[in-house]
Amino acid sequence: MSNTNVKYRDWVFNVDRELTIQAYANVLLSGTENCSCNYCKNYIAYRDKVFPEEINRLFYDLGIDYKKEVEIIFFDTLPDGLHRIGGWFHFKGHILTGKDCRVALPTGGYTLDLTATTDKFSVGFANGNDLTHFADKIDLIQVEFMTCIPWVIDKSLEVL
């Protein structure tokens, strides 16, 4: 195990980058590629443009392969025609400093308090292993993101 500390904005993570890289190398298809819905097809077509450069650098530092997301979720279509989606990844490690993005609701469950990196992209981090690609689910950090993307595949497949 070769842990290193990674700083991103207000967070410091202790990361096992090598284990994270190995886990992603074992993933043949992302959760999105295993889905046949039109929202996932559109996301895959746009995926190379989803993440701001600072997030691409962070993913590199953490060992995350951005083409192997666990899942994406469609939320809604905005008045400007963009589609709001969320998704997540994992890496092996710990949050040393910085807030956990999961906020407990009084009725049970939680909501996410994400940090905007651009006007169309937000990110947050939480201890979690929802639908992970990792065989060992201990010491995982879930990277949650929310973004707005255009519809780039066949317009007749778009559901508004």
Side-chain angles (χ1 to χ4, degrees):
M1 191 183 290
S2 59
N3 287 15
T4 185
N5 286 351
V6 172
K7 180 166 180 20
Y8 174 72
R9 293 191 176 211
D10 293 336
W11 291 272
V12 176
F13 308 104
N14 184 260
V15 178
D16 190 325
R17 186 173 186 271
E18 290 176 21
L19 270 178
T20 301
I21 289 170
Q22 289 171 7
Y24 281 95
N26 291 329
V27 176
L28 299 178
L29 295 173
S30 70
T32 307
E33 290 165 330
N34 279 311
C35 182
S36 61
C37 83
N38 293 336
Y39 295 112
C40 286
K41 290 176 186 174
N42 188 68
Y43 175 83
I44 291 166
Y46 195 74
R47 180 168 47 198
D48 287 339
K49 298 176 185 169
V50 166
F51 301 101
E53 185 54 37
E54 74 178 70
I55 298 299
N56 285 330
R57 282 191 307 272
L58 174 63
F59 283 0
Y60 175 82
D61 292 344
L62 299 174
I64 292 172
D65 182 341
Y66 78 93
K67 291 188 176 186
K68 295 182 179 172
E69 63 284 331
V70 175
E71 181 82 323
I72 65 151
I73 300 167
F74 167 76
F75 289 102
D76 57 357
T77 302
L78 303 173
D80 64 3
L82 294 177
H83 296 262
R84 185 179 4 227
I85 61 164
W88 65 93
F89 298 86
H90 296 96
F91 67 90
K92 193 66 121 167
H94 301 277
I95 299 173
L96 299 178
T97 63
K99 68 176 181 161
D100 186 310
C101 70
R102 289 185 180 175
V103 178
L105 296 173
T107 56
Y110 64 89
T111 188
L112 297 174
D113 181 17
L114 302 179
T115 299
T117 61
T118 71
D119 62 334
K120 295 190 175 37
F121 189 91
S122 300
V123 68
F125 309 92
N127 293 304
N129 57 18
D130 297 341
L131 301 173
T132 185
H133 294 310
F134 287 74
D136 176 7
K137 297 181 180 187
I138 306 297
D139 296 332
L140 291 181
I141 303 301
Q142 193 158 311
V143 180
E144 300 273 359
F145 72 92
M146 181 91 53
T147 189
C148 301
I149 66 173
W151 196 263
V152 295
I153 62 173
D154 183 343
K155 206 70 167 149
S156 71
L157 300 175
E158 184 177 23
V159 180
L160 298 175

PDB file of all heavy atoms in Angstrom, residues 10 30 37 42-43 57 69 73 83-84 93 98 100-101 110 112 114 121 133 143 146 157:
ATOM      1  N   ASP A  10     -10.619  22.805  -0.247  1.00  0.00           N
ATOM      2  CA  ASP A  10     -10.626  22.724   1.219  1.00  0.00           C
ATOM      3  C   ASP A  10     -10.419  21.311   1.746  1.00  0.00           C
ATOM      4  O   ASP A  10     -10.483  21.093   2.953  1.00  0.00           O
ATOM      5  CB  ASP A  10     -11.953  23.266   1.773  1.00  0.00           C
ATOM      6  CG  ASP A  10     -12.116  24.755   1.529  1.00  0.00           C
ATOM      7  OD1 ASP A  10     -11.095  25.447   1.365  1.00  0.00           O
ATOM      8  OD2 ASP A  10     -13.268  25.227   1.503  1.00  0.00           O
ATOM      9  N   SER A  30     -18.241   0.767 -17.770  1.00  0.00           N
ATOM     10  CA  SER A  30     -18.771   1.604 -16.687  1.00  0.00           C
ATOM     11  C   SER A  30     -20.238   1.261 -16.452  1.00  0.00           C
ATOM     12  O   SER A  30     -20.881   0.607 -17.276  1.00  0.00           O
ATOM     13  CB  SER A  30     -18.644   3.078 -17.066  1.00  0.00           C
ATOM     14  OG  SER A  30     -19.552   3.402 -18.099  1.00  0.00           O
ATOM     15  N   CYS A  37     -30.346   3.135 -21.609  1.00  0.00           N
ATOM     16  CA  CYS A  37     -31.254   4.285 -21.700  1.00  0.00           C
ATOM     17  C   CYS A  37     -30.607   5.411 -22.502  1.00  0.00           C
ATOM     18  O   CYS A  37     -29.384   5.509 -22.622  1.00  0.00           O
ATOM     19  CB  CYS A  37     -31.680   4.761 -20.315  1.00  0.00           C
ATOM     20  SG  CYS A  37     -30.519   5.857 -19.469  1.00  0.00           S
ATOM     21  N   ASN A  42     -26.432   9.487 -24.192  1.00  0.00           N
ATOM     22  CA  ASN A  42     -26.062  10.886 -24.390  1.00  0.00           C
ATOM     23  C   ASN A  42     -24.860  11.256 -23.524  1.00  0.00           C
ATOM     24  O   ASN A  42     -23.930  11.918 -23.982  1.00  0.00           O
ATOM     25  CB  ASN A  42     -27.253  11.802 -24.075  1.00  0.00           C
ATOM     26  CG  ASN A  42     -26.967  13.234 -24.441  1.00  0.00           C
ATOM     27  OD1 ASN A  42     -26.845  13.581 -25.607  1.00  0.00           O
ATOM     28  ND2 ASN A  42     -26.857  14.081 -23.426  1.00  0.00           N
ATOM     29  N   TYR A  43     -24.870  10.810 -22.275  1.00  0.00           N
ATOM     30  CA  TYR A  43     -23.746  11.094 -21.377  1.00  0.00           C
ATOM     31  C   TYR A  43     -22.446  10.527 -21.951  1.00  0.00           C
ATOM     32  O   TYR A  43     -21.423  11.208 -21.985  1.00  0.00           O
ATOM     33  CB  TYR A  43     -24.007  10.509 -19.984  1.00  0.00           C
ATOM     34  CG  TYR A  43     -22.834  10.673 -19.064  1.00  0.00           C
ATOM     35  CD1 TYR A  43     -22.626  11.856 -18.381  1.00  0.00           C
ATOM     36  CD2 TYR A  43     -21.916   9.646 -18.897  1.00  0.00           C
ATOM     37  CE1 TYR A  43     -21.531  12.019 -17.552  1.00  0.00           C
ATOM     38  CE2 TYR A  43     -20.811   9.799 -18.066  1.00  0.00           C
ATOM     39  CZ  TYR A  43     -20.632  10.978 -17.399  1.00  0.00           C
ATOM     40  OH  TYR A  43     -19.543  11.140 -16.589  1.00  0.00           O
ATOM     41  N   ARG A  57      -7.601  16.879 -13.383  1.00  0.00           N
ATOM     42  CA  ARG A  57      -6.321  16.793 -12.650  1.00  0.00           C
ATOM     43  C   ARG A  57      -6.510  16.063 -11.322  1.00  0.00           C
ATOM     44  O   ARG A  57      -5.690  15.224 -10.932  1.00  0.00           O
ATOM     45  CB  ARG A  57      -5.747  18.192 -12.398  1.00  0.00           C
ATOM     46  CG  ARG A  57      -5.064  18.798 -13.609  1.00  0.00           C
ATOM     47  CD  ARG A  57      -4.270  20.053 -13.258  1.00  0.00           C
ATOM     48  NE  ARG A  57      -5.027  21.062 -12.534  1.00  0.00           N
ATOM     49  CZ  ARG A  57      -5.760  22.016 -13.102  1.00  0.00           C
ATOM     50  NH1 ARG A  57      -5.837  22.096 -14.422  1.00  0.00           N
ATOM     51  NH2 ARG A  57      -6.412  22.892 -12.375  1.00  0.00           N
ATOM     52  N   GLU A  69     -17.339   5.694 -14.646  1.00  0.00           N
ATOM     53  CA  GLU A  69     -18.238   6.121 -13.581  1.00  0.00           C
ATOM     54  C   GLU A  69     -19.069   4.922 -13.109  1.00  0.00           C
ATOM     55  O   GLU A  69     -19.334   4.001 -13.870  1.00  0.00           O
ATOM     56  CB  GLU A  69     -19.164   7.252 -14.053  1.00  0.00           C
ATOM     57  CG  GLU A  69     -20.109   6.879 -15.170  1.00  0.00           C
ATOM     58  CD  GLU A  69     -19.459   6.797 -16.539  1.00  0.00           C
ATOM     59  OE1 GLU A  69     -18.468   7.503 -16.803  1.00  0.00           O
ATOM     60  OE2 GLU A  69     -19.960   6.006 -17.350  1.00  0.00           O
ATOM     61  N   ILE A  73     -27.308   9.660 -12.961  1.00  0.00           N
ATOM     62  CA  ILE A  73     -28.747   9.790 -12.722  1.00  0.00           C
ATOM     63  C   ILE A  73     -29.222  11.054 -13.411  1.00  0.00           C
ATOM     64  O   ILE A  73     -28.624  12.126 -13.238  1.00  0.00           O
ATOM     65  CB  ILE A  73     -29.045   9.883 -11.217  1.00  0.00           C
ATOM     66  CG1 ILE A  73     -28.549   8.631 -10.497  1.00  0.00           C
ATOM     67  CG2 ILE A  73     -30.525  10.104 -10.970  1.00  0.00           C
ATOM     68  CD1 ILE A  73     -28.521   8.763  -8.992  1.00  0.00           C
ATOM     69  N   HIS A  83     -29.460  19.242 -19.708  1.00  0.00           N
ATOM     70  CA  HIS A  83     -29.953  18.148 -18.880  1.00  0.00           C
ATOM     71  C   HIS A  83     -29.102  18.062 -17.619  1.00  0.00           C
ATOM     72  O   HIS A  83     -27.877  17.936 -17.694  1.00  0.00           O
ATOM     73  CB  HIS A  83     -29.887  16.822 -19.652  1.00  0.00           C
ATOM     74  CG  HIS A  83     -30.781  16.825 -20.849  1.00  0.00           C
ATOM     75  ND1 HIS A  83     -32.029  16.271 -20.832  1.00  0.00           N
ATOM     76  CD2 HIS A  83     -30.624  17.348 -22.089  1.00  0.00           C
ATOM     77  CE1 HIS A  83     -32.604  16.429 -22.010  1.00  0.00           C
ATOM     78  NE2 HIS A  83     -31.765  17.094 -22.796  1.00  0.00           N
ATOM     79  N   ARG A  84     -29.785  18.139 -16.450  1.00  0.00           N
ATOM     80  CA  ARG A  84     -29.071  18.059 -15.172  1.00  0.00           C
ATOM     81  C   ARG A  84     -28.929  16.588 -14.799  1.00  0.00           C
ATOM     82  O   ARG A  84     -29.920  15.859 -14.735  1.00  0.00           O
ATOM     83  CB  ARG A  84     -29.807  18.807 -14.078  1.00  0.00           C
ATOM     84  CG  ARG A  84     -29.026  18.825 -12.782  1.00  0.00           C
ATOM     85  CD  ARG A  84     -29.685  19.581 -11.632  1.00  0.00           C
ATOM     86  NE  ARG A  84     -30.982  20.101 -11.910  1.00  0.00           N
ATOM     87  CZ  ARG A  84     -31.364  21.349 -11.629  1.00  0.00           C
ATOM     88  NH1 ARG A  84     -30.509  22.188 -11.098  1.00  0.00           N
ATOM     89  NH2 ARG A  84     -32.592  21.741 -11.882  1.00  0.00           N
ATOM     90  N   GLY A  93      -9.260   5.505   0.154  1.00  0.00           N
ATOM     91  CA  GLY A  93      -8.599   6.493   0.983  1.00  0.00           C
ATOM     92  C   GLY A  93      -9.471   7.019   2.098  1.00  0.00           C
ATOM     93  O   GLY A  93     -10.463   6.391   2.488  1.00  0.00           O
ATOM     94  N   GLY A  98     -11.851  18.691   5.430  1.00  0.00           N
ATOM     95  CA  GLY A  98     -12.895  19.079   4.481  1.00  0.00           C
ATOM     96  C   GLY A  98     -14.206  18.421   4.845  1.00  0.00           C
ATOM     97  O   GLY A  98     -14.235  17.393   5.534  1.00  0.00           O
ATOM     98  N   ASP A 100     -17.846  16.523   4.633  1.00  0.00           N
ATOM     99  CA  ASP A 100     -18.529  15.407   3.989  1.00  0.00           C
ATOM    100  C   ASP A 100     -19.744  16.017   3.297  1.00  0.00           C
ATOM    101  O   ASP A 100     -20.495  16.785   3.905  1.00  0.00           O
ATOM    102  CB  ASP A 100     -18.964  14.396   5.057  1.00  0.00           C
ATOM    103  CG  ASP A 100     -19.547  13.125   4.481  1.00  0.00           C
ATOM    104  OD1 ASP A 100     -20.450  13.217   3.611  1.00  0.00           O
ATOM    105  OD2 ASP A 100     -19.134  12.041   4.921  1.00  0.00           O
ATOM    106  N   CYS A 101     -19.961  15.708   2.038  1.00  0.00           N
ATOM    107  CA  CYS A 101     -21.024  16.363   1.273  1.00  0.00           C
ATOM    108  C   CYS A 101     -22.420  15.813   1.580  1.00  0.00           C
ATOM    109  O   CYS A 101     -23.415  16.390   1.147  1.00  0.00           O
ATOM    110  CB  CYS A 101     -20.745  16.285  -0.228  1.00  0.00           C
ATOM    111  SG  CYS A 101     -20.893  14.637  -0.948  1.00  0.00           S
ATOM    112  N   TYR A 110     -30.527  11.328   3.033  1.00  0.00           N
ATOM    113  CA  TYR A 110     -29.619  12.463   2.998  1.00  0.00           C
ATOM    114  C   TYR A 110     -29.800  13.235   1.695  1.00  0.00           C
ATOM    115  O   TYR A 110     -30.397  12.763   0.740  1.00  0.00           O
ATOM    116  CB  TYR A 110     -28.165  12.019   3.156  1.00  0.00           C
ATOM    117  CG  TYR A 110     -27.663  11.144   2.023  1.00  0.00           C
ATOM    118  CD1 TYR A 110     -27.091  11.690   0.881  1.00  0.00           C
ATOM    119  CD2 TYR A 110     -27.765   9.749   2.087  1.00  0.00           C
ATOM    120  CE1 TYR A 110     -26.645  10.893  -0.164  1.00  0.00           C
ATOM    121  CE2 TYR A 110     -27.311   8.941   1.055  1.00  0.00           C
ATOM    122  CZ  TYR A 110     -26.758   9.515  -0.065  1.00  0.00           C
ATOM    123  OH  TYR A 110     -26.315   8.730  -1.093  1.00  0.00           O
ATOM    124  N   LEU A 112     -27.300  16.114  -0.816  1.00  0.00           N
ATOM    125  CA  LEU A 112     -25.897  16.431  -1.089  1.00  0.00           C
ATOM    126  C   LEU A 112     -25.662  17.935  -1.055  1.00  0.00           C
ATOM    127  O   LEU A 112     -26.451  18.701  -1.604  1.00  0.00           O
ATOM    128  CB  LEU A 112     -25.483  15.881  -2.463  1.00  0.00           C
ATOM    129  CG  LEU A 112     -25.543  14.375  -2.626  1.00  0.00           C
ATOM    130  CD1 LEU A 112     -25.246  13.985  -4.075  1.00  0.00           C
ATOM    131  CD2 LEU A 112     -24.593  13.676  -1.674  1.00  0.00           C
ATOM    132  N   LEU A 114     -22.953  20.042  -2.502  1.00  0.00           N
ATOM    133  CA  LEU A 114     -21.807  20.000  -3.398  1.00  0.00           C
ATOM    134  C   LEU A 114     -21.180  21.378  -3.556  1.00  0.00           C
ATOM    135  O   LEU A 114     -21.829  22.403  -3.335  1.00  0.00           O
ATOM    136  CB  LEU A 114     -22.232  19.453  -4.762  1.00  0.00           C
ATOM    137  CG  LEU A 114     -22.868  18.061  -4.743  1.00  0.00           C
ATOM    138  CD1 LEU A 114     -23.278  17.643  -6.157  1.00  0.00           C
ATOM    139  CD2 LEU A 114     -21.949  17.039  -4.111  1.00  0.00           C
ATOM    140  N   PHE A 121     -20.971  22.745 -13.060  1.00  0.00           N
ATOM    141  CA  PHE A 121     -20.391  21.535 -12.481  1.00  0.00           C
ATOM    142  C   PHE A 121     -20.126  21.735 -10.993  1.00  0.00           C
ATOM    143  O   PHE A 121     -19.549  22.741 -10.586  1.00  0.00           O
ATOM    144  CB  PHE A 121     -19.072  21.172 -13.175  1.00  0.00           C
ATOM    145  CG  PHE A 121     -18.551  19.816 -12.772  1.00  0.00           C
ATOM    146  CD1 PHE A 121     -18.896  18.686 -13.487  1.00  0.00           C
ATOM    147  CD2 PHE A 121     -17.742  19.672 -11.649  1.00  0.00           C
ATOM    148  CE1 PHE A 121     -18.438  17.433 -13.097  1.00  0.00           C
ATOM    149  CE2 PHE A 121     -17.283  18.428 -11.254  1.00  0.00           C
ATOM    150  CZ  PHE A 121     -17.631  17.306 -11.978  1.00  0.00           C
ATOM    151  N   HIS A 133     -17.186  -0.169  -7.867  1.00  0.00           N
ATOM    152  CA  HIS A 133     -16.418  -1.105  -8.692  1.00  0.00           C
ATOM    153  C   HIS A 133     -15.392  -1.865  -7.841  1.00  0.00           C
ATOM    154  O   HIS A 133     -14.799  -2.820  -8.308  1.00  0.00           O
ATOM    155  CB  HIS A 133     -15.637  -0.358  -9.783  1.00  0.00           C
ATOM    156  CG  HIS A 133     -16.486   0.311 -10.811  1.00  0.00           C
ATOM    157  ND1 HIS A 133     -17.510  -0.298 -11.482  1.00  0.00           N
ATOM    158  CD2 HIS A 133     -16.425   1.575 -11.312  1.00  0.00           C
ATOM    159  CE1 HIS A 133     -18.045   0.540 -12.338  1.00  0.00           C
ATOM    160  NE2 HIS A 133     -17.414   1.685 -12.262  1.00  0.00           N
ATOM    161  N   VAL A 143     -17.004  10.074  -4.689  1.00  0.00           N
ATOM    162  CA  VAL A 143     -16.908  11.388  -5.323  1.00  0.00           C
ATOM    163  C   VAL A 143     -18.227  11.619  -6.047  1.00  0.00           C
ATOM    164  O   VAL A 143     -18.530  10.954  -7.036  1.00  0.00           O
ATOM    165  CB  VAL A 143     -15.736  11.445  -6.334  1.00  0.00           C
ATOM    166  CG1 VAL A 143     -15.657  12.824  -6.973  1.00  0.00           C
ATOM    167  CG2 VAL A 143     -14.430  11.048  -5.677  1.00  0.00           C
ATOM    168  N   MET A 146     -22.445  16.732  -9.933  1.00  0.00           N
ATOM    169  CA  MET A 146     -23.665  17.189 -10.589  1.00  0.00           C
ATOM    170  C   MET A 146     -23.224  18.104 -11.707  1.00  0.00           C
ATOM    171  O   MET A 146     -22.328  18.937 -11.534  1.00  0.00           O
ATOM    172  CB  MET A 146     -24.545  17.944  -9.606  1.00  0.00           C
ATOM    173  CG  MET A 146     -25.846  18.444 -10.168  1.00  0.00           C
ATOM    174  SD  MET A 146     -27.233  17.317  -9.999  1.00  0.00           S
ATOM    175  CE  MET A 146     -27.240  16.943  -8.274  1.00  0.00           C
ATOM    176  N   LEU A 157     -34.324  10.996 -29.783  1.00  0.00           N
ATOM    177  CA  LEU A 157     -34.184  10.138 -28.594  1.00  0.00           C
ATOM    178  C   LEU A 157     -34.337  10.927 -27.295  1.00  0.00           C
ATOM    179  O   LEU A 157     -34.393  10.336 -26.212  1.00  0.00           O
ATOM    180  CB  LEU A 157     -32.833   9.432 -28.616  1.00  0.00           C
ATOM    181  CG  LEU A 157     -32.558   8.521 -29.818  1.00  0.00           C
ATOM    182  CD1 LEU A 157     -31.131   7.999 -29.766  1.00  0.00           C
ATOM    183  CD2 LEU A 157     -33.562   7.394 -29.867  1.00  0.00           C
TER     184      LEU A 157
END
